[in-house]
Amino acid sequence: MNDLPIRRNDRAADLFRQRYRDPSLPPPEDWNPVLENLLNHRSTRGFLPDPVHPDTLATILAAASSAATSSNLQTWSVVAVRDPARKSRLRPLCANQAHIDEAPLFLVFLADLARLQSIAAAKGETVEGTEFLEMLLIGIVDATLAAQNAVVALESLGLGSVYIGGIRNHPEKVAAELGLPPHIFPVFGLCVGTPDPARPTAIKPRLPQSTVVHHEQYDPAQATEALAAYDARMSDFQAEQAMPPEVWTRRTIGRVRTPAALTGRDRMRAALANLGFALR
Ligand SMILES: Cc1cc2nc3c(=O)[nH]c(=O)nc-3n(C[C@H](O)[C@H](O)[C@H](O)COP(=O)(O)O)c2cc1C
């Protein structure tokens, strides 16, 4: 980006305020269109039926391919699903989320060690290194960086998206539906399409920087200091969105209270073994 930073303006102050809802926080001094795009993020769960043009998809995926990748191994792939019948079969595998049917495009991002193995097999080489947990982590990190670049790109084009972690509820069934060979893991889905203006979404407040940012060394006290204030901000947000009241810290605990709270993903080790990952 060659644009010179635009000095702080009302738009920057407004987006900063919406992101943190902390009146004591000074708005940013530096500003440019990239920062505006990033701070304006919100997930989209209501889509118009308009298809995503193939050229647009190619541009979004060029942004994805432009992300950094561990050792340039590029251990990720993506399956673009447009077929309504296939999306309808994937939906119940992902906690039955209606936006999978509604979005004209469903991208499934994959940690892909199979390509590396094919390359080695063609040259008669061994691939013992791919049996280690570290290589799966590399694939997941690569897929995630690529996907987030795609999200930033599509939002810059006026499209909307929502990640679907629910794709990991039934990894083996997803693999069968998408025809994935062994050693490929579906990391998450991404519903993509034009946001329905009749169902606008708002900027969801985040934890304050004083909670998540540490300087030089991690300070455990910081992790809990400002949580009451954040709970209050999230309660306000829920009420504004006419969503059921909830306390963020309570909801967060609920997400990890028991193995069952992982909605089927407590068997991930077994699922990965079934997909061919030795995880040494
Ligand atoms: C890896 C990942 C998985 C997610 N899975 C789902 C999902 O299955 N369904 C859903 O509606 N939202 C999902 N989300 C969206 C989050 O709920 C959302 O990003 C978060 O609540 C913050 O809201 P915002 O994106 O609007 O700022 C997921 C997000 C991430 C990063």
Side-chain angles (χ1 to χ4, degrees):
M1 188 87 215
N2 293 324
D3 294 12
L4 288 173
I6 302 162
R7 300 306 286 174
R8 169 161 63 88
N9 58 17
D10 289 350
R11 179 74 173 143
D14 182 47
L15 288 177
F16 223 62
R17 186 195 60 73
Q18 291 188 65
R19 185 57 72 200
Y20 289 119
R21 297 196 178 207
D22 178 356
S24 70
L25 204 63
E29 282 295 327
D30 299 309
W31 198 245
N32 62 34
V34 176
L35 291 168
E36 164 139 8
N37 189 37
L38 288 169
L39 268 79
N40 200 23
H41 161 77
R42 66 283 307 271
S43 291
T44 298
R45 296 181 180 83
F47 297 94
L48 298 178
D50 316 11
V52 176
H53 194 281
D55 292 348
T56 303
L57 175 60
T59 303
I60 292 167
L61 294 180
S65 289
S66 300
T69 153
S70 304
S71 307
N72 202 24
L73 293 178
Q74 305 175 60
T75 50
W76 68 280
S77 295
V78 61
V79 179
V81 179
R82 294 179 185 273
D83 178 7
R86 177 159 289 113
K87 286 195 287 115
S88 292
R89 290 195 296 274
L90 286 168
R91 173 178 167 171
L93 303 180
C94 307
N96 204 27
Q97 301 187 60
H99 27 275
I100 296 171
D101 273 339
E102 211 177 286
L105 174 64
F106 187 53
L107 300 177
V108 184
F109 282 87
L110 309 166
D112 184 350
L113 301 185
R115 186 167 49 236
L116 208 51
Q117 294 184 334
S118 303
I119 293 167
K123 298 193 184 303
E125 298 280 355
T126 59
V127 288
E128 202 182 336
T130 60
E131 293 175 12
F132 286 81
L133 171 61
E134 164 62 4
M135 284 306 301
L136 174 62
L137 291 178
I138 285 178
I140 291 172
V141 171
D142 274 3
T144 305
L145 295 179
Q148 183 56 23
N149 259 21
V151 167
V152 172
L154 68 88
E155 287 181 353
S156 78
L157 297 171
L159 295 172
S161 67
V162 62
Y163 283 100
I164 300 295
I167 203 88
R168 298 191 303 278
N169 289 4
H170 301 281
E172 299 100 319
K173 289 179 181 168
V174 169
E177 178 60 46
L178 299 180
L180 306 182
H183 308 111
I184 298 183
F185 174 61
V187 182
F188 38 66
L190 189 72
C191 300
V192 181
T194 303
D196 179 356
R199 290 173 287 169
T201 49
I203 290 175
K204 193 181 280 186
R206 293 293 197 265
L207 288 166
Q209 292 191 10
S210 65
T211 301
V212 298
V213 182
H214 303 259
H215 294 280
E216 308 301 340
Q217 284 202 304
Y218 189 91
D219 173 9
Q222 267 181 238
T224 49
E225 240 164 40
L227 290 183
Y230 183 65
D231 272 343
R233 287 171 200 147
M234 279 301 290
S235 295
D236 290 349
F237 175 81
Q238 292 283 119
E240 288 162 20
Q241 299 302 306
M243 291 159 81
E246 67 175 23
V247 178
W248 182 83
T249 45
R250 290 218 161 279
R251 179 181 169 279
T252 303
I253 294 164
R255 186 70 177 69
V256 292
R257 187 177 284 120
T258 61
L262 296 181
T263 59
R265 297 183 221 165
D266 51 320
R267 58 172 294 279
M268 193 57 73
R269 196 178 280 273
L272 285 165
N274 290 336
L275 295 178
F277 292 92
L279 303 185
R280 288 170 61 187

